[in-house]
Amino acid sequence: MAHDLSDFTAGDTGSKLRISFIDVDKGALIRPFSGVFNASIIVKPQGASAVERTVSVLSGVDDGYGEYTLLSTDLVVGTLQTQVKITKVADATFVRELRIKNYTVGAALS
């Protein structure tokens, strides 16, 4: 019997993405991140337009990470694409845009 594996369920609420801000040159977390950089995430649900949203940048022991809580409208059956953008707080210069990530959104049982 085949199993249908998905990363998220369509229409779910409260699902979060935890984002690691990695310096690709060093292969390590960008620290300090909190207060030095801002992050946003571009979210493109299946069949919809891409929208840029704010990422909650974490601090303290979680410095170098961020979180984004997916909206139920982000979770449409099919492929959800995301991409993170990082900018410097001091002058709003663009730092890096990471690779596109694809997540599978499966149907909810009814």
Side-chain angles (χ1 to χ4, degrees):
M1 173 178 233
H3 296 280
D4 183 20
L5 299 175
S6 57
D7 300 301
F8 298 103
T9 301
D12 193 19
T13 58
S15 294
K16 290 186 180 187
L17 292 176
R18 184 169 172 98
I19 300 157
S20 303
F21 304 120
I22 304 292
D23 181 331
V24 295
D25 298 325
K26 297 179 183 174
L29 286 173
I30 299 173
R31 288 184 173 157
F33 192 95
S34 184
V36 178
F37 299 98
N38 284 325
S40 61
I41 189 168
I42 300 164
V43 179
K44 186 179 183 308
Q46 180 77 37
S49 299
V51 178
E52 188 169 349
R53 299 202 178 100
T54 302
V55 168
S56 297
V57 174
L58 304 178
S59 59
V61 296
D62 287 325
D63 189 27
Y65 294 96
E67 284 184 345
Y68 171 69
T69 302
L70 293 159
L71 304 176
S72 61
T73 54
D74 294 335
L75 297 173
V76 176
V77 173
T79 301
L80 169 68
Q81 294 183 304
T82 65
Q83 189 172 44
V84 176
K85 281 177 37 176
I86 299 170
T87 54
K88 286 185 183 178
V89 171
D91 58 9
T93 56
F94 173 75
V95 177
R96 187 162 313 229
E97 195 165 18
L98 303 177
R99 65 185 169 92
I100 294 172
K101 292 188 177 180
N102 294 297
Y103 298 95
T104 303
V105 180
L109 292 176
S110 53

